[in-house]
Every structure is written in structure tokens, then in C-alpha cells.
Amino acid sequence: MQEDCGDVEDHDGGVCVVESLEVNRKERWGVNVCFLLIGMGASITWYSVTFAISYFIMEFNSLSEYFWTFFLLCYNLPGLPIQILQFCCTTVPNEVDSERSQYYDERKQYILSCTLCYLCLAGILLTFPLIFLLNLPVLLIFVFASFYILAIGTVQGILYGRIFQLASLFSPQDFSSIPSCMAGIGLSTILLLVLTIGEHFDGAKASTGDVILYFAPLSVIPLLSTIALTYAIYCRNPLQRTLG
């Protein structure tokens, strides 16, 4: 692999080193696979709930035949407010900020928020089925389940915005970060299909223990996404700029 040492420019009396990196195939595939995992981890929790819909029908259909409509409302309700909030919280760069953004790698600002979101999604996958073990009235269990669905919608709403902002920081000439992220979101449904067939999971006949065993292994996916996220943030990036 050939690597250019970079162009040198004066910047406010200092020396600015603009890195010019040539990306090899290994680096390109590494970043693309990482964004595949990043997309999978962001979507796997909600898709797990939808694949187990027959179990929830068995639990809540006696309460109301519109329970799933309410679940969808809880899941989708946070989306628009979160996007508006993220838009309003985005700082419009002034001239100084625009100059600084050319010389600093912006990816590191995403690691904390995205990691926390992935840990929340993994925790939801581990604990959500446990509420059905509680000896409580079905209405109260439904309220708890609704809060879990609301939490999934909120966390995923935040995470989707962050991971696609992160993906946009990679050069489309060198990486397929955004398409890989979208492909990962779709790939999680294929993984769930394989798991459903492999475990012979039938929500209509499943016990709470079966649902726990169905959800628990999937919590590994968001955890793997945090590793992929770390690699994507700290790997070499042709758009990266450093001050010397």
C-alpha cells in the first residue's frame, strides 16, 4: 500500500498537515463490514419483537384486539420529536468552526452516545421477556411492555440519526458506509428468520422461557456493534485532518 505523507499548509501561524491516505481493500472491507454490524445492532431489537408477535397476541389479545396498534404507536411516536430535536441541537458552524472541522476528525463525538444506545438495546433484549414472569394483572404487564416498546423507539430514533451522521463522514469514493449500514438493517431480519427456523420458535405455543431463550442470544448483536463502532471511529479515514 502506498501512503502519501500529506500536504503541508500554513494555518494561523501553525503548520497544518492534511493527510492524504490511499485505502486498500482490507481497510475498505473492514469499514464496510463494521457498518453492516452497526446497522444490524440498531434494528435487531425491534425486529425481534415483531418476529414474536404471535406470542404477544396470545398474551394481550384478551385485553384488546388493538394492542399491536398501540405498540406501533409507542414505537413510532418518538421518531419525529427526536429528529426535530437532533436538528435543532445541531450547531450551525461559523467561519472558525468550519475551518477547525477541516482539521479534526469528527468521528469521536459519536462513540459515547452510540455505545450507550447499543447497551440499552442489549439490555432491553435481556430484560423485556422477564416482565411476563411477574405475577401481575395482564393490564399492568401491558403497561410495562408498552414502556419497553416506547424505550425501543426512543433509543433507535436517537441511534439511527447518529450512525448515519457517522457514516456520512466516510468518503463515498473509498467506502460504502451508508449502503452497508442500510444493508445491515435489512440483514437483521434474515438473521431472525434463520434463528426462528433453527429454534422452531412458534410464538403462539411458546412459553415465557422459550421467549427468553429466543431474545437473549440476540443481545450479542448490539454488543458486537459497539466493537464495530469503535473500529469505524478509530480506523484511518481519508477525510481525517490533523493539526501539526
Side-chain angles (χ1 to χ4, degrees):
M1 179 189 67
Q2 297 178 347
E3 181 175 328
D4 194 345
C5 294
D7 301 325
V8 179
E9 302 175 358
D10 289 332
H11 182 72
D12 294 335
V15 177
C16 171
V17 180
V18 181
E19 295 186 7
S20 177
L21 305 177
E22 182 178 331
V23 179
N24 59 32
R25 181 177 297 180
K26 180 180 178 180
E27 292 171 326
R28 183 177 294 111
W29 273 96
V31 170
N32 292 342
V33 170
C34 281
F35 274 100
L36 199 69
L37 286 171
I38 287 170
M40 289 179 65
S43 59
I44 194 73
T45 305
W46 171 245
Y47 287 152
S48 300
V49 174
T50 61
F51 266 72
I53 183 174
S54 54
Y55 175 78
F56 298 110
I57 291 175
M58 181 182 66
E59 291 290 326
F60 297 128
N61 207 40
S62 60
L63 186 66
S64 173
E65 60 181 359
Y66 299 107
F67 84 91
W68 186 250
T69 302
F70 188 76
F71 272 8
L72 291 176
L73 180 63
C74 290
Y75 174 73
N76 290 292
L77 188 62
L80 181 59
I82 287 173
Q83 295 305 313
I84 294 174
L85 185 62
Q86 286 183 336
F87 176 78
C88 293
C89 291
T90 301
T91 305
V92 179
N94 54 35
E95 184 176 349
V96 176
D97 292 334
S98 297
E99 290 180 357
R100 288 179 61 85
S101 66
Q102 297 177 20
Y103 304 106
Y104 287 98
D105 192 344
E106 300 177 13
R107 294 175 294 171
K108 294 179 182 179
Q109 64 179 302
Y110 295 96
I111 189 165
L112 179 60
S113 58
C114 291
T115 299
L116 289 176
C117 286
Y118 282 124
L119 292 177
C120 287
L121 293 176
I124 289 171
L125 283 168
L126 288 172
T127 60
F128 186 20
L130 298 180
I131 65 174
F132 296 97
L133 294 175
L134 301 175
N135 187 21
L136 295 173
V138 64
L139 179 60
L140 195 54
I141 293 178
F142 177 74
V143 171
F144 286 149
S146 298
F147 275 113
Y148 267 95
I149 300 298
L150 184 65
I152 294 172
T154 302
V155 174
Q156 285 192 347
I158 296 170
L159 188 56
Y160 279 144
R162 300 296 283 172
I163 61 177
F164 281 107
Q165 289 171 9
L166 173 63
S168 68
L169 297 178
F170 286 81
S171 169
Q173 285 77 29
D174 297 300
F175 304 102
S176 300
S177 53
I178 293 179
S180 295
C181 197
M182 296 178 66
I185 292 173
L187 187 60
S188 59
T189 61
I190 299 176
L191 175 63
L192 281 164
L193 181 61
V194 172
L195 181 65
T196 301
I197 296 174
E199 291 189 359
H200 303 285
F201 179 77
D202 183 358
K205 301 176 182 178
S207 65
T208 302
D210 294 331
V211 177
I212 293 173
L213 292 176
Y214 182 71
F215 274 48
L218 296 170
S219 63
V220 175
I221 304 299
L223 298 179
L224 289 177
S225 297
T226 62
I227 299 174
L229 175 74
T230 303
Y231 178 86
I233 287 175
Y234 288 101
C235 70
R236 297 189 328 136
N237 183 7
L239 295 185
Q240 179 180 349
R241 302 292 184 266
T242 58
L243 282 178

